[in-house]
Amino acid sequence: MRLADQSIPVYTNLTDLYGSLGSSVNHAERWDNLAKEFEKRFGRPPAYITRAPGRINIIGEHIDYALFGVLPAAIEQDILIACAPRQPSDNSQEIHERPGSVVAENLNPKYTRQVFAPSQRAPEGWHLEINTNELRWESYVKAGYYGVLSRYFPPDSNLHPTPVDLLATGSVPSGSGVSSSAAIVVASTLAFLAVNNRRTSGSTDAPLSKGELVKMAMENETRVGVNSGGMDQAASVMSVNSSALYITFFPILNTSPVPLPSGAKFVISNTLVVADKVVTAKFRYNLRVVETLVGARILAHKLGVKLDIMEKVTYREVLGRIVKEQQDCGSDGDMGAGSLIVALKSIMRSLTHLLPKGVDANAEGDEQQMGLTMEEMIEMSGLSQQTFHEVYLSWIDVEATHFQLYKRAKHVFTEALRVLQFRKTSLDATDASPSLSLNPSTSLEKLGNLMNESQKSCRELFECSCPELDMLAKLCREAGAYGSRLTGAGWGGCAVSLVAEDQVEIFIKKIKDEYPPYKGLKEEQLNDVIFATKPGSGACGMCFLRFLRLLS
Ligand code: GLA
């Protein structure tokens, strides 16, 4: 059965849950503490605890929203939400007595107690106030709730969501590119499903599948103000133990585990630059989404690919149409990795269509840096100004005077190629047949080089790195990593480095000593900002835990 069609696992004790993760860490204390604290604060034990892990992205940055395959792995760090239904008392006007009201607390005192209730507004249905101008922890809880409300409580149905108390805790660092946001949206979606006793897909009696949960989490995270692709949610929900996960989004969401060569270990190191995706979305993340979508439209237009006028086509779809791809023809559900590699290589020559008129692909400095103005972009798209605004700008807020379509496209297509090469190298290295398997260190070198090229491309073409990430990745390479690169959206956050297992300790020590912002940190703090994760360690499907007895 495809991973996307499997149902969400439900565990009744921690041994089953963490045993399936192959974890060496004793999580019982953390879960027990959460349960006790819940009881102390709300006067009864939690009915459920839901869990969603963060992820590292090994390779494939900023290409999920162009619908190209990516290669992340879940990490052991996760978000836990303990929750229980609350009995509403009659006649109370208090907000926490309203249908579906939520009292949300967080074990981290930095995140204050929040009380909110959904309201119904015609014509759009359920409404929860989400502040998209600042980063607020409860926004992600609300985002998860939205999905449950809109799918299971249609406004005309007279069904009322259950009031709920919840207590969250997390070990995924926020603003660090390891996807705390998707983890909390997924955990919150599961918490609201659990307290409302909604286990099925909604439209049928079949249990909710992992693929459906990913879709819900993707749709709902956009409510926080970032138009992210589906990588984080898919990694958090569908990762499997001990492997990276190859995720493709076209023609449908598909995942397959990619075992990593023996001796490969990933080390996460935090630059300590907090990258707030939400607050900076207008001129960073969301701008990149628009730059890649408009680039795809222009490329299609210039290459004579027919598009519907209102179609928001992606680079992956344009590529498929250029090579007249038959869908469902390969085992990956698309044209298959081999044909995709050929297609990617051949499209590279056409990207000059995205340059400003009269500018050469080899032009240096300012000329290429200029990018396209809005007027130039509209003209090149072949659309009227009004249609262009409607299709590309009416649904998303962006701020820029110039748009770098050529550089962004070059990153997207080369990065898509690197993902396929990384996957192939890993599969060859772990293939049982001796004719295919490479010497382990040769494979690690190849993988490391691909990661380094990805970092270069993120820095120079996609411009989503920052000086601290560049410095840290360089230090990591000098300290012996085969490869090192930013992970996640970038502009701060963490670097991920591929290190030989027997070198991990010495590698970590070097970085602790040499990365300037770590100076003065205590050992305990250092252990939170640089740590090793087993390849795929902590990777579990999204776990939905019926809270019985944690320590049994
Ligand atoms: C964020 C988004 C993902 C992905 C990465 C960049 O993490 O949530 O969808 O686009 O950035 O690869």
Side-chain angles (χ1 to χ4, degrees), residues 55 57 60-65 228-232 277 285 488-489:
R55 59 102 192 92
N57 187 20
E61 223 59 89
H62 287 278
I63 60 172
D64 57 347
Y65 48 88
S228 62
M231 168 172 72
D232 306 346
K277 248 192 330 187
Y285 195 94

Side-chain angles (χ1 to χ4, degrees), residues 55 57 60-65 70 177-179 181-182 221 226-233 249 277 285 289 462 464 485-491:
R55 59 102 192 92
N57 187 20
E61 223 59 89
H62 287 278
I63 60 172
D64 57 347
Y65 48 88
V70 293
V178 285
S179 198
S181 51
E221 204 173 323
V226 183
N227 286 80
S228 62
M231 168 172 72
D232 306 346
Q233 298 80 0
F249 304 93
K277 248 192 330 187
Y285 195 94
V289 173
F462 216 73
C464 59
R485 56 179 299 280
L486 64 86
T487 186
W491 294 290

Side-chain angles (χ1 to χ4, degrees), residues 363-394:
E364 299 282 327
D366 288 355
E367 244 191 345
Q368 231 197 71
Q369 283 303 333
M370 282 303 289
L372 296 165
T373 61
M374 178 73 82
E375 292 66 38
E376 286 170 324
M377 233 169 39
I378 297 177
E379 200 216 310
M380 287 162 75
S381 73
L383 297 175
S384 71
Q385 190 170 356
Q386 194 190 347
T387 312
F388 185 93
H389 274 267
E390 211 169 308
V391 180
Y392 291 107
L393 300 170
S394 60

